[in-house]
């Protein structure tokens, strides 16, 4: 980078009223001057302004202007290193300046038709009207450039200091315009540690069903952002209290149905939230944080309990096979929310396996059982470690200590066996080509059956040499009906 570019990438302090440690890239002033010289307004808007008041690092630069998309592109020409059309129909142009990505959007007003999932966009001419359409007052603030004049017509700073979400207009009008804002309120509760005002909370309850017009993809994105926020519990509880969870994640409020009036067993809803909180505490020890797969599996691990609840003699309550039932339920919900296959499969697998450790007892598992535990978890083993430890919410300190000691023992055994056998990559002692050569068969399902059998042998008995594995394969083959079939018919 040249000295000239170093100067342009330098940072500048903000005017009085902002935290002293907050700065912005110097090129923001340069960009503001370019628009001003061209006869247009430009303002830094929304999240970046909010985050500066919170002394948070500004990583996104979102601007708004009275220039139309074509004019934005003209102003950026010769300044931006690259630029692209994010959505000219919605007034947004993207640009890259060094390592920074900026988005510049024409003042606009967008509303949802009562029966449509797509917003109607109309370009505006006034900054304050553009701010009026935004979701919450904490996001309806702007810095006019290049002079850094704060524009806060709806009391965003005051709301931010109070830690309360308010809407620029009435919440009913705001949520009618874009119902996803109700989920965004929950996300901000998780992300910023704020609460919602009484009128916002009332509107969310009254209008919860309107979330159904929002596409599954947009709901999913808000849910993911909520789950990886610092305190997702706050957002999830707001979704449940408002009734929005009944439409977007009904399995969560349904957990409250697993409790009984006599309180003879734990509150599954509160337990699930606690397990998620525990997982957040454990995740950095096992996986990259924040980790959506772990957190969501922790939240949903017991969703099979309402369907499997049974009252046993003596007043006991059982939830047999809730792990298997829950895995199917979470996979179904994630498919409906349009999650990708890998993420869905990972979360469902963790839900299915979350009870596996409780057969470990006092460490009496055989080496074979330990191998199967590792093999069944596959690359999700670190997630399973974190989830299993997080699932201990008992107030009985002696029981909690015993479970922790048992899991310490299991992890130690896994590590020992891994050193001896490379557990993470366990394979049968014979590969597919060797199986076909020994049995004289062609590629097909039969090879897969033989391969699976040898994998079971490997898990049960540990590694074997070629001759031992070959004999095990031949013994198995002798009992197969295909062994009596000529090769060209097999």
């Amino acid at each position: 980078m040249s000295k000239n570019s170093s100067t342009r990438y330098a940072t500048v302090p903000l005017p009085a009223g902002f935290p002293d440690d907050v700065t912005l890239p110097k090129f923001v002033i340069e960009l503001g001057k370019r628009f001003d010289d061209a006869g247009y307004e430009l303002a830094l808007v929304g999240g970046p302004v909010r985050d500066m008041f919170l002394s948070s690092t500004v990583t996104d630069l979102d601007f708004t202007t009275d220039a139309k998309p074509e004019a934005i592109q003209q102003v950026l020409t010769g300044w931006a290193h690259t630029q692209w059309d994010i959505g000219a129909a919605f007034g947004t142009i993207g640009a890259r300046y060094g390592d920074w990505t900026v988005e510049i959007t024409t003042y606009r007003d967008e509303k949802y038709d009562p029966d449509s999932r797509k917003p109607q966009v109309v370009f505006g001419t006034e900054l304050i009207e553009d701010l009026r359409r935004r979701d919450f007052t904490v996001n309806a603030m702007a810095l006019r450039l290049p002079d850094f004049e704060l524009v806060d017509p709806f009391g965003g700073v005051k709301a931010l200091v109070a830690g309360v979400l308010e809407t620029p207009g009435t919440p009913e009008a705001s949520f009618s315009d874009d119902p996803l804002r109700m989920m965004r309120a929950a996300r901000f509760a998780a992300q910023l540690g704020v609460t919602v005002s009484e009128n916002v909370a009332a509107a969310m309850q009254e209008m919860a069903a309107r979330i159904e017009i929002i596409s599954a993809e947009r709901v999913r994105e808000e849910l993911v952002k909520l789950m990886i926020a610092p305190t997702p519990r706050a957002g999830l509880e707001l979704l449940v209290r408002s009734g929005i969870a009944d439409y977007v994640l009904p399995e969560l409020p349904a957990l409250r149905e697993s409790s009984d009036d006599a309180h003879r067993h734990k509150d599954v809803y509160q337990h699930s939230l606690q397990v998620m909180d525990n997982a957040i505490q454990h995740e950095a020890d096992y996986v990259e944080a924040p980790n959506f797969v772990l957190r969501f599996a922790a939240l949903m691990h017991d969703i099979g309990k309402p369907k499997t609840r049974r009252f046993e003699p003596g007043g006991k309550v059982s939830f047999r096979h809730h792990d298997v039932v829950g895995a199917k339920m979470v996979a179904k919900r994630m498919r409906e929310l349009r999650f990708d296959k890998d993420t869905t499969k990972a979360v469902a697998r963790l839900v299915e396996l979350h009870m596996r450790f409780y057969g470990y007892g006092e460490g009496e598992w055989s080496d074979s059982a330990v191998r199967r535990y590792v093999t069944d978890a596959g690359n999700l083993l670190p997630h399973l470690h974190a989830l299993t430890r997080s699932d201990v919410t008992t107030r009985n300190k002696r029981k909690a200590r015993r479970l922790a000691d048992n899991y310490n023992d299991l992890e130690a055994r896994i590590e020992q066996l891994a050193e001896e056998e490379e557990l993470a990559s366990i394979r049968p002692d014979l590969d597919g080509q060797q199986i076909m050569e020994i049995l004289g068969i062609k590629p097909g399902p039969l090879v897969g059956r033989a391969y699976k059998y040898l994998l079971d042998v490997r898990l049960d008995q540990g590694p074997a040499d070629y001759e031992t594995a070959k004999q095990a394969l031949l013994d198995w083959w002798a009992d197969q009906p295909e062994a009596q079939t000529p090769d060209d018919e097999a």
Side-chain angles (χ1 to χ4, degrees), residues 251-370:
E251 296 80 5
L252 183 59
L255 290 175
R256 295 176 298 183
E257 300 173 7
S258 295
S259 301
D260 60 275
D261 295 337
H263 302 290
R264 288 176 293 224
H265 63 283
K266 70 179 67 175
D267 182 327
V268 183
Y269 170 66
Q270 290 297 329
H271 165 74
S272 298
L273 291 173
Q274 185 60 55
V275 172
M276 180 191 66
D277 286 343
N278 293 348
I280 294 171
Q281 297 300 314
H282 284 296
E283 68 182 349
D285 295 330
Y286 290 98
V287 295
E288 184 177 351
N291 193 281
F292 172 80
V293 168
L294 173 60
R295 294 182 181 195
F296 199 57
L299 177 68
M300 306 293 277
H301 76 287
D302 274 348
I303 62 170
K305 282 191 171 180
K307 285 190 175 182
T308 58
R309 182 175 65 164
R310 298 292 183 272
F311 291 97
E312 307 291 349
K316 292 186 177 181
V317 180
S318 68
F319 303 98
R320 290 188 179 90
H321 307 302
H322 76 273
D323 44 356
V324 177
V325 172
K328 294 178 180 178
M329 291 173 63
V330 75
K332 181 175 183 292
R333 174 57 50 198
M334 293 181 73
R335 286 193 297 269
E336 290 181 356
L337 289 173
R338 304 293 192 269
F339 277 91
D340 63 272
K341 291 182 180 179
D342 288 343
T343 303
T344 300
K345 184 177 179 181
V347 173
R349 187 60 167 159
L350 286 171
V351 172
E352 182 181 0
L353 294 175
H354 83 271
M355 292 294 294
R356 186 72 63 87
F357 162 70
Y358 292 96
Y360 190 67
E362 300 298 329
E364 65 270 17
W365 273 10
S366 64
D367 285 351
S368 170
V370 175

Side-chain angles (χ1 to χ4, degrees), residues 109-113 118-121 176-178:
D109 182 21
E110 60 185 34
K111 294 183 179 181
Y112 275 84
D113 182 271
K118 295 183 179 180
Q120 302 169 345
V121 177
S176 179
D177 287 347
D178 185 354

Side-chain angles (χ1 to χ4, degrees), residues 425-490:
S425 57
I426 282 183
R427 298 290 185 273
D429 296 298
L430 300 175
D431 61 27
Q433 187 62 40
Q434 291 171 314
I435 291 171
M436 290 187 288
E437 290 175 356
I438 293 170
L439 300 183
I441 60 176
K442 298 176 181 178
L446 187 55
V447 178
R449 281 168 45 200
Y451 187 92
K452 183 178 183 304
Y453 170 75
L454 289 177
L455 178 59
D456 287 339
V457 172
R458 171 73 172 79
L459 291 170
D460 288 338
Q461 301 176 13
D465 58 33
Y466 176 81
E467 291 300 328
T468 301
K470 177 180 178 180
Q471 188 57 52
L473 175 62
L474 292 173
D475 291 343
W476 171 83
W477 179 244
D479 294 331
Q480 305 307 306
E482 292 89 346
Q484 311 303 321
T485 303
D487 179 64
D488 60 353
E489 297 180 15

Side-chain angles (χ1 to χ4, degrees), residues 385-440:
H385 285 332
L387 175 59
T388 304
R389 288 189 180 277
S390 301
D391 198 16
V392 179
T393 61
T394 177
R395 296 181 180 178
N396 185 320
K397 293 183 178 179
R398 180 177 297 178
K399 181 179 179 181
R401 186 165 52 250
R402 175 175 57 80
L403 289 171
D405 288 344
N406 286 349
Y407 207 82
N408 289 340
D409 180 67
L410 176 57
E411 284 197 28
R413 289 185 64 190
I414 289 173
E415 185 175 352
Q416 180 182 355
L417 281 173
E419 292 177 357
E420 296 173 357
E421 305 178 16
E422 298 183 1
L423 281 185
S425 57
I426 282 183
R427 298 290 185 273
D429 296 298
L430 300 175
D431 61 27
Q433 187 62 40
Q434 291 171 314
I435 291 171
M436 290 187 288
E437 290 175 356
I438 293 170
L439 300 183

Side-chain angles (χ1 to χ4, degrees), residues 87-298:
F90 295 93
T92 303
I93 302 298
R96 180 171 294 280
Y97 187 87
D99 294 332
W100 285 87
T101 298
V102 302
E103 292 187 4
I104 305 175
T105 302
T106 305
Y107 297 156
R108 64 189 185 187
D109 182 21
E110 60 185 34
K111 294 183 179 181
Y112 275 84
D113 182 271
D115 300 315
S116 174
R117 293 185 175 186
K118 295 183 179 180
Q120 302 169 345
V121 177
V122 178
F123 293 148
T125 59
E126 299 291 334
L127 174 59
I128 291 180
E129 291 307 309
D130 180 83
L131 296 177
R132 190 188 304 277
R133 74 169 180 84
R134 294 178 182 266
D135 52 7
F136 300 104
T137 59
V138 297
N139 294 327
M141 299 183 288
L143 277 180
R144 289 187 187 273
L145 299 171
D147 298 326
F148 288 144
E149 174 196 349
L150 176 64
V151 182
D152 181 20
F154 306 106
V157 174
K158 181 179 178 180
L160 199 58
V161 171
V164 178
L165 287 181
E166 293 275 10
T167 53
T170 67
E172 290 81 5
S174 180
F175 299 156
S176 179
D177 287 347
D178 185 354
L180 190 66
R181 290 172 174 173
M182 295 186 288
M183 281 202 68
R184 204 171 293 149
R187 192 242 295 180
F188 286 139
Q191 195 175 63
L192 305 177
V194 297
T195 60
V196 297
S197 66
E198 291 185 4
N199 59 334
V200 169
M204 290 174 68
Q205 288 182 316
E206 179 184 344
M207 304 178 69
R210 188 155 168 73
I211 197 69
E212 289 189 297
I213 76 165
I214 300 298
S215 69
E217 290 83 0
R218 294 186 71 205
V219 169
R220 178 199 65 216
E221 291 304 313
E222 280 299 325
L223 179 61
V224 170
K225 291 176 182 177
L226 186 159
M227 289 300 301
I228 63 175
T231 56
R233 176 194 278 254
L236 293 166
E237 289 180 328
L238 179 54
L239 288 180
V240 172
R241 287 197 308 272
S242 65
I244 294 170
D246 293 336
Y247 298 94
V248 301
L249 201 64
E251 296 80 5
L252 183 59
L255 290 175
R256 295 176 298 183
E257 300 173 7
S258 295
S259 301
D260 60 275
D261 295 337
H263 302 290
R264 288 176 293 224
H265 63 283
K266 70 179 67 175
D267 182 327
V268 183
Y269 170 66
Q270 290 297 329
H271 165 74
S272 298
L273 291 173
Q274 185 60 55
V275 172
M276 180 191 66
D277 286 343
N278 293 348
I280 294 171
Q281 297 300 314
H282 284 296
E283 68 182 349
D285 295 330
Y286 290 98
V287 295
E288 184 177 351
N291 193 281
F292 172 80
V293 168
L294 173 60
R295 294 182 181 195
F296 199 57

